Amino acid sequence: MRLSEDLRDPWTLLLTGVAVGSAAAVGLPAGVAIGVGAAVFGVKSILSRFTASPEDASVRMLPVRDNSPELRWLKRAEKAVRSFTDLAEGGRAGPVAARTQEIGSRACTTLEAMRRLAGQTSAIAFA
């Protein structure tokens, strides 16, 4: 994350605000409380650069067990996404086609989340 992204991140702002409020609540002077908030903001900003982002997490997918309920659900979701894709590609241009493409795009995003969840479920199923 860059500094501008940190300034828009609600968690960074919340942590900074809580730190300033807590410092003021224990009786520290306003300047020191603001310094505590700045330190918390700095630490959060630095740590966000070293931790994996959600995009990085999607690169490494855990395998899904064969003959598992999660694999069956995943196959069913893949079939539904293929149906939306076929429907969007086969239709005439217009509002229905545009809406179908939008739904298909969201379905693809959901399918990726389901793949991650299915892999995680398979990983802990026999743990």
Side-chain angles (χ1 to χ4, degrees), residues 17-74:
V18 167
V20 170
S22 298
V26 297
L28 293 176
V32 175
I34 292 172
V36 168
V40 168
F41 179 84
V43 169
K44 168 69 171 74
S45 297
I46 290 169
L47 289 177
S48 69
R49 284 161 181 69
F50 293 109
T51 57
S53 66
E55 294 83 26
D56 296 338
S58 67
V59 173
R60 183 173 168 253
M61 295 272 190
L62 296 170
V64 180
R65 288 180 301 128
D66 290 333
N67 299 322
S68 64
E70 53 270 17
L71 182 63
R72 287 190 295 275
W73 280 102
L74 190 57

